[in-house]
């Protein structure tokens, strides 16, 4: 995606237009103090209940800038989110990850388990 598309996407997430309102206490923006650039972010929303989800914290996006990957930042942000959700009385945290995404290893190591798969066809016919 282009920078403009990324800014628009994150703007919608932060505004609560994607998956419910942002849960500020368990979301984070990590800035590299030396370069004053974004090193990573974790955006958690209050996803409303649906037929497949009881509602509650949803890890809407987690990323670490390429120059900061491999240092455990994603794991640390995730652990802080999990602890914050537990302190907030939440019993469940959801997320979605594409099959084959290396982040799935991290999520499994943190205790997340696959509960469903989704198949989609676009522009059928």
């Amino acid at each position: 995606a282009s920078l403009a598309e990324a800014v628009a996407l994150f703007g919608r997430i932060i505004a609560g237009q994607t998956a419910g309102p942002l849960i500020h206490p368990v979301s984070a923006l990590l800035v590299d103090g030396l370069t004053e650039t974004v090193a990573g972010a974790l955006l958690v929303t209050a996803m409303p209940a649906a037929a497949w989800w009881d509602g509650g914290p949803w890890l809407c996006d987690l990323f670490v800038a390429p120059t900061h990957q491999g240092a455990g930042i994603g794991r640390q942000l995730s652990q802080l989110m999990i602890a914050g959700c537990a302190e907030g009385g939440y019993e469940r945290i959801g997320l979605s990850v594409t099959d084959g995404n290396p982040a799935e290893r991290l999520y499994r190591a943190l205790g997340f388990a696959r509960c469903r798969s989704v198949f989609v066809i676009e522009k059928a016919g």
Side-chain angles (χ1 to χ4, degrees):
S2 69
L3 178 58
E5 291 170 324
V7 168
L9 171 63
F10 287 112
R12 288 191 303 275
I13 293 170
I14 292 168
Q17 299 169 344
T18 302
L22 196 67
I23 304 176
H24 292 276
V26 295
S27 295
L29 176 67
L30 184 63
V31 176
D32 181 327
L34 296 175
T35 62
E36 295 185 4
T37 58
V38 174
L42 179 120
L43 302 173
V44 182
T45 63
M47 174 80 95
W52 54 273
W53 175 248
D54 291 338
W58 188 264
L59 175 52
C60 204
D61 207 320
L62 166 62
F63 74 86
V64 177
T67 55
H68 292 83
Q69 291 176 355
I73 291 171
R75 176 179 297 279
Q76 291 175 345
L77 288 172
S78 298
Q79 289 170 326
L80 289 170
M81 172 199 62
I82 292 167
C85 285
E87 289 173 14
Y90 296 108
E91 296 181 15
R92 168 177 291 154
I93 303 166
L95 61 85
S96 176
V97 65
T98 306
D99 283 337
N101 184 328
E104 188 171 351
R105 288 191 312 270
L106 169 63
Y107 299 136
R108 286 185 185 280
L110 292 169
F112 287 88
R114 181 179 302 277
C115 69
R116 65 182 235 145
S117 294
V118 177
F119 294 86
V120 177
I121 186 170
E122 294 185 21
K123 299 182 182 181

